[in-house]
Amino acid sequence: ILFFIPLKAAPDIYRADYQSGVKLYVNRVFITDDDKELLPTWMRFVKGIIDSSDLPLNVSREILQQNRIMANIRSNSVKKVLDKLQYTAKNKEKYAQFYEQYGRLIKEGVYQDFEHKDSLTDLLRYNSTKDEGLVSLREYVDRMKDDQKSIYYISGQNQISLRQSPLLEMYEKKGVEVLILDDEIDEIVISSVPKYDDKELKSVNRSGAADDFSKDKDKEEALKPVLKKIKNILGERVKDVKVSNRLSDSPSCVVADENDPTAQMQELMRSMGQADIPNVKPILEINPNHKIIKKLKGKIKQKLFNDIAFLLYEQALIQEGVKLDNPAEFTERLNKVIVETL
């Protein structure tokens, strides 16, 4: 077996008809270059040759599929590549160069290749709120706080906007690291890894992630009339309106219910041509300590309350990268509130 990995990924590597370039020989006689029989599809970044003296020269594709020798060759080939990648990963700079070119294929392997899932999961790398470079799940776990029980991540389409998301405020305040998943397939991949080193992976885009941290029941009780009215005003636009314990600077945010697809997942489903995407409503969370919310408590009976309720919801959607259904109405509401406060 002789394998090599090109420094740069081929521009057509994600095309369905892409050929990896691994060829099978028997006693130096070419047999096939059908990479689906030789290596898993996620390993299509590998090029090279396999020369065996144990297979018959007249071996057919059907025999290859059922041949125990071929199965062993395939298994050993995968192990050889994984061992090399794990060795390379010890050099962060060198592995980062590989991951920039082929990281998506490692992710592909995580949710396709059950046999090698654990090894592939160790090879995953993500940006983080605590590190400039790429971070492995092992590095994350090794520097977790003693009282931290879960691995947290945030998903979306833009790393810059994700780093500025209000969903991170509480985690930053408590010094808890959050992984940043800005590749559109990240959420599918990470959902196939529910646990790592007995630590549950939790999305901060979802309502349940903040349940690991204590809530202020008194403030929740005091805001019940505000929550009820905001929910009545927004109606079918939201699934619920709750007091947030994840916000420190922002007045509001939107999160997905635990069993609903996040905004990122919905966008991915649309891009894949899925027509029957359910009408998922977000949960609006409001910050009880924010000046806007404190002042809102005394304005329940004022007409301005309705506009502010909509603005809290709409600005939270914008921060999540969701396009508003009617930007003109948002602008009109914003202008009305500005006039009232001048």
Side-chain angles (χ1 to χ4, degrees):
I1 296 173
L2 177 63
F3 289 148
F4 73 94
I5 300 170
L7 202 59
K8 296 281 186 183
D12 59 342
I13 200 166
Y14 294 104
R15 281 179 50 169
D17 58 349
Y18 178 76
Q19 293 290 316
S20 72
V22 174
K23 295 176 170 57
L24 173 67
Y25 291 79
V26 174
N27 292 323
R28 301 188 180 183
V29 176
F30 174 70
I31 303 298
T32 183
D33 58 359
D34 187 345
D35 58 307
K36 293 178 182 65
E37 307 302 337
L38 305 177
L39 293 174
T41 55
W42 65 265
M43 278 181 63
R44 57 189 181 273
F45 54 83
V46 175
K47 295 188 179 296
I49 58 170
I50 298 170
D51 192 357
S52 172
S53 57
D54 299 320
L55 289 166
L57 276 171
N58 62 345
V59 66
S60 65
R61 179 177 293 182
E62 288 73 23
I63 293 172
L64 273 179
Q65 289 173 338
Q66 300 164 15
N67 190 284
R68 193 193 307 173
I69 295 169
M70 192 61 231
N72 287 337
I73 290 172
R74 179 184 166 110
S75 179
N76 290 336
S77 297
V78 175
K79 187 178 184 304
K80 191 180 182 78
V81 173
L82 284 173
D83 286 347
K84 182 63 178 176
L85 290 177
Q86 284 159 358
Y87 176 78
T88 305
K90 293 175 183 177
N91 183 325
K92 287 194 79 168
E93 190 177 329
K94 194 173 182 181
Y95 186 69
Q97 292 173 350
F98 163 83
Y99 202 79
E100 183 184 357
Q101 298 295 315
Y102 303 111
R104 266 201 164 201
L105 296 179
I106 298 297
K107 294 171 187 178
E108 202 176 289
V110 170
Y111 69 84
Q112 282 184 355
D113 192 339
F114 185 78
E115 184 184 349
H116 303 100
K117 186 173 181 176
D118 290 344
S119 297
L120 285 161
T121 301
D122 280 328
L123 292 170
L124 289 173
R125 295 293 184 272
Y126 293 107
N127 287 294
S128 154
T129 55
K130 275 202 174 177
D131 207 314
E132 287 301 313
L134 294 171
V135 174
S136 69
L137 291 173
R138 170 50 51 202
E139 286 174 302
Y140 182 104
V141 169
D142 285 348
R143 62 191 185 206
M144 274 172 59
K145 289 173 165 284
D146 292 338
D147 59 346
Q148 188 180 330
K149 297 174 183 176
S150 305
I151 298 169
Y152 299 101
Y153 66 90
I154 184 171
S155 60
Q157 296 182 338
N158 183 291
Q159 187 182 156
I160 295 170
S161 61
L162 285 176
R163 286 187 181 276
Q164 297 170 348
S165 171
L167 301 179
L168 295 178
E169 289 174 4
M170 179 264 295
Y171 299 92
E172 289 174 355
K173 196 173 182 181
K174 292 183 179 292
V176 174
E177 183 173 10
V178 179
L179 298 174
I180 297 170
L181 280 56
D182 59 344
D183 187 341
E184 60 182 10
I185 69 164
D186 279 339
E187 202 162 353
I188 294 176
V189 175
I190 212 76
S191 63
S192 71
V193 188
K195 283 191 174 183
Y196 181 84
D197 195 21
D198 290 329
K199 306 288 189 299
E200 190 177 350
L201 277 81
K202 289 191 176 182
S203 167
V204 306
N205 303 76
R206 296 187 180 278
S207 57
D211 292 345
D212 295 345
F213 304 91
S214 60
K215 294 181 179 180
D216 192 328
K217 295 293 182 183
D218 292 338
K219 287 182 179 176
E220 197 168 341
E221 190 66 29
L223 275 173
K224 268 190 176 178
V226 174
L227 300 175
K228 187 178 178 181
K229 182 154 188 187
I230 291 176
K231 190 173 181 183
N232 286 338
I233 291 165
L234 296 178
E236 292 300 308
R237 294 172 179 83
V238 294
K239 196 167 193 174
D240 202 358
V241 180
K242 296 180 178 179
V243 165
S244 181
N245 65 329
R246 74 177 83 221
L247 297 172
S248 58
D249 302 319
S250 300
S252 61
C253 67
V254 286
V255 292
D257 199 0
E258 282 304 292
N259 299 314
D260 290 338
T262 62
Q264 169 77 344
M265 183 64 83
Q266 292 173 58
E267 195 61 39
L268 181 58
M269 289 159 75
R270 288 189 193 95
S271 69
M272 293 168 70
Q274 209 164 316
D276 56 340
I277 301 171
N279 182 23
V280 180
K281 301 166 191 173
I283 294 171
L284 177 68
E285 292 189 357
I286 61 172
N287 180 1
N289 302 313
H290 198 277
K291 287 180 181 178
I292 291 176
I293 307 303
K294 286 179 177 178
K295 289 187 176 182
L296 205 56
K297 284 168 67 178
K299 298 182 183 292
I300 287 184
K301 295 181 180 179
Q302 294 183 19
K303 286 183 179 179
L304 198 63
F305 188 101
N306 291 29
D307 289 320
I308 295 171
F310 270 107
L311 289 174
L312 287 170
Y313 166 67
E314 289 167 334
Q315 73 167 6
L317 288 177
I318 291 169
Q319 285 180 304
E320 276 299 287
V322 178
K323 291 180 181 177
L324 299 181
D325 291 333
N326 195 329
E329 278 187 5
F330 167 74
T331 306
E332 188 181 333
R333 264 191 286 272
L334 184 60
N335 289 337
K336 195 191 297 183
V337 171
I338 291 171
V339 168
E340 289 286 337
T341 54
L342 286 174

